[in-house]
Amino acid sequence: MAEPIRVVVTGAAGQIAYSLLYMIARGEVFGKDQPLILHLLDIPPMVGVLEGVVMELADCALPLLREVVPTTDPAVAFKDVSAAFLVGAMPRKEGMERKDLLSANVKIFKAQGQALDKYARKDVKVLVVGNPANTNAVVCSFYAPSIPRENFSAMTRLDQNRATAQIAAKAKVPISDVKNVIIWGNHSSTQFPDASHAVVTVGNTEKPAVEAVGDAEFLKSSFVETVQKRGAAVIAARKMSSAMSAAKAACDHMHDWWNGTAPGQYVSMGVISDGSYDAPKDVIYSFPVEIKNKQWKIVQGLSLDDFAKSKMAVTGKELLEEKNEAMAVCNAD
C-alpha cells in the first residue's frame, strides 16, 4: 500500500466538515488504496466539538485513516500537507457589509497562506471553500509566494453540480448523462451558469443540452437564476447554509484535480486568470478546465454569444472589485 499522505481540513468542527471528513477518510477523494493522516484545524472555542469529531472518526473504523491530528495551531495543521481544504471562514452575518466580511476573512486567509508557505509541501493542492471563496483564494495565494499560484483554487463545483442537476431534471435524464455544464466567474449571485456547451445523452445519442432541454428561454432565464440563488434558497428552507452538497462538491473538485478528468469532459474550477475569454487577469475566476497529471488547463476556443459575454463581464467586474478591496485591507494591516 502507498505511503500515507497528510490532508488538512480547516473549520473542522463545522457543518461542512462533518460530511466532508467522512468522505475523504473513506477514500472517495484520493483513492481506495491511499492511506491518510487527517489534520483538523479549528479555533480554540471549538476544541470541545473537535474532540467529538475525532471520537466519531475513530468510531467509523475506517481502514485508510492512519492518524487524526486535531489542532488550533496553523503550524501543526499545515505541516507537510499534500492537500488542503480551507473550509473555515467568517460567515456573513445580518447587517454585515461585504467589505466587513472581506476584512474579517483577509485576516484568516492571510494567516493560512503564511502557514502554508512555511510548513506545507510545495506541491500542495489548496481548495478554498469558505466564502467569499474566490477572493479568499487570491489572498491565501498572495501570502504563500513559494507555492505556485496554479495550486490555489476556489470551489465552483457546487454551482456546477446544481446546474447539472437542473439540466438533468429538465431533460428527464439521469445526472450521469449530462456533462460539460460550465460556471463562469465568481462563486456568488453574479456567476454565470452556462449550458450552451453542455452535452446530454438521450437514449444512446449525445445531443447539445439546448436541444435536449428544448427550451432556450429557460436556459437564459430561470435556469441561470435558480443556480445563482440556490444557496440563498437552501438557507431559507433549512435555516442553515448548504453543508452536505458543499462537502460533496469539495470532494468532487479535489478528486478530479488529483485524478484527472475523463477525455472530452471538463469541470469548473476557480483558478488564477490569464485573461482567457476576456476575464480580468490575476483574479481567481471560474473557468472550464481539463486536468491531467494534477495540472489543470483552461479549455480554449469555446464560442460565446453576446448574452454570455455580458454575464461574464458582470461577474469579472465584481471579482476585480473584491480583489481590490481585499488587497487594500492587506496593505492596511
Side-chain angles (χ1 to χ4, degrees):
M1 212 175 219
E3 281 296 301
I5 58 169
R6 293 178 182 271
V7 177
V8 63
V9 176
T10 74
Q15 279 261 0
I16 294 172
Y18 195 67
S19 292
L20 176 62
L21 290 166
Y22 175 67
M23 293 186 207
I24 296 169
R26 56 172 296 199
E28 289 178 26
V29 180
F30 302 102
K32 299 290 185 185
D33 56 356
Q34 178 58 67
L36 301 165
I37 297 169
L38 277 180
H39 293 205
L40 313 185
L41 178 68
D42 218 311
I43 54 176
M46 300 304 289
V47 163
V49 179
L50 203 53
E51 284 173 5
V53 173
V54 173
M55 286 185 228
E56 285 217 69
L57 281 168
D59 296 348
C60 285
L62 295 155
L64 293 174
L65 190 55
R66 296 297 164 84
E67 190 184 346
V68 179
V69 182
T71 185
T72 59
D73 181 357
V76 175
F78 293 104
K79 180 77 172 144
D80 297 332
V81 294
S82 295
F85 293 82
L86 305 188
V87 180
M90 169 71 78
R92 191 167 187 162
K93 299 194 173 85
E94 216 171 326
M96 206 183 213
E97 293 295 319
R98 193 175 73 180
K99 63 177 183 294
D100 300 327
L101 183 68
L102 280 167
S103 178
N105 278 296
V106 161
K107 292 179 179 66
I108 294 168
F109 287 87
K110 174 181 177 178
Q112 293 185 356
Q114 289 168 331
L116 280 159
D117 195 56
K118 200 167 176 185
Y119 302 109
R121 290 170 56 104
K122 295 307 168 197
D123 62 354
V124 63
K125 300 284 180 267
V126 182
L127 168 58
V128 179
V129 177
N131 287 319
N134 297 55
T135 300
N136 288 342
V138 168
V139 170
C140 199
S141 166
F142 182 76
Y143 285 102
S146 71
I147 297 168
R149 292 197 300 174
E150 295 73 30
N151 290 22
F152 289 83
S153 177
M155 187 171 87
T156 51
R157 186 58 171 266
L158 176 54
D159 308 300
Q160 181 194 309
N161 287 350
R162 288 166 169 165
T164 302
Q166 294 294 319
I167 299 291
K170 189 77 173 172
K172 297 184 171 57
V173 298
I175 293 280
S176 55
D177 288 344
V178 181
K179 67 182 185 186
N180 297 353
V181 179
I182 300 168
I183 304 297
W184 300 98
N186 199 3
H187 173 63
S188 77
S189 60
T190 68
Q191 63 173 274
F192 173 46
D194 177 11
S196 62
H197 301 280
V199 178
V200 179
T201 303
V202 182
N204 292 318
T205 311
E206 281 197 346
K207 296 181 178 180
V210 182
E211 194 184 314
V213 166
D215 187 344
E217 184 50 42
F218 161 78
L219 292 174
K220 290 194 170 182
S221 55
S222 58
F223 164 69
V224 173
E225 286 159 26
T226 299
V227 178
Q228 287 177 334
K229 296 175 180 171
R230 188 65 160 192
V234 171
I235 290 172
R238 214 173 83 89
K239 309 295 180 263
M240 285 189 279
S241 59
S242 308
M244 178 170 44
S245 56
K248 161 68 164 52
C251 286
D252 290 347
H253 179 125
M254 189 66 84
H255 173 275
D256 289 349
W257 199 358
W258 204 262
N259 299 289
T261 48
Q265 288 198 29
Y266 38 81
V267 293
S268 297
M269 285 171 64
V271 296
I272 195 73
S273 170
D274 61 358
S276 290
Y277 299 102
D278 293 329
K281 283 188 176 181
D282 297 326
V283 298
I284 296 265
Y285 190 100
S286 182
F287 291 101
V289 300
E290 293 172 320
I291 307 162
K292 199 172 179 181
N293 301 323
K294 298 189 173 70
Q295 305 295 317
W296 55 263
K297 193 174 162 204
I298 296 169
V299 176
Q300 298 293 345
L302 299 174
S303 58
L304 298 167
D305 60 16
D306 289 342
F307 174 77
K309 286 175 185 173
S310 67
K311 293 285 187 190
M312 287 162 69
V314 169
T315 197
K317 182 171 178 281
E318 181 183 62
L319 280 169
L320 210 47
E321 286 169 3
E322 272 189 24
K323 182 192 171 182
N324 290 339
E325 282 179 39
M327 285 307 164
V329 175
C330 290
N331 295 333
D333 273 6

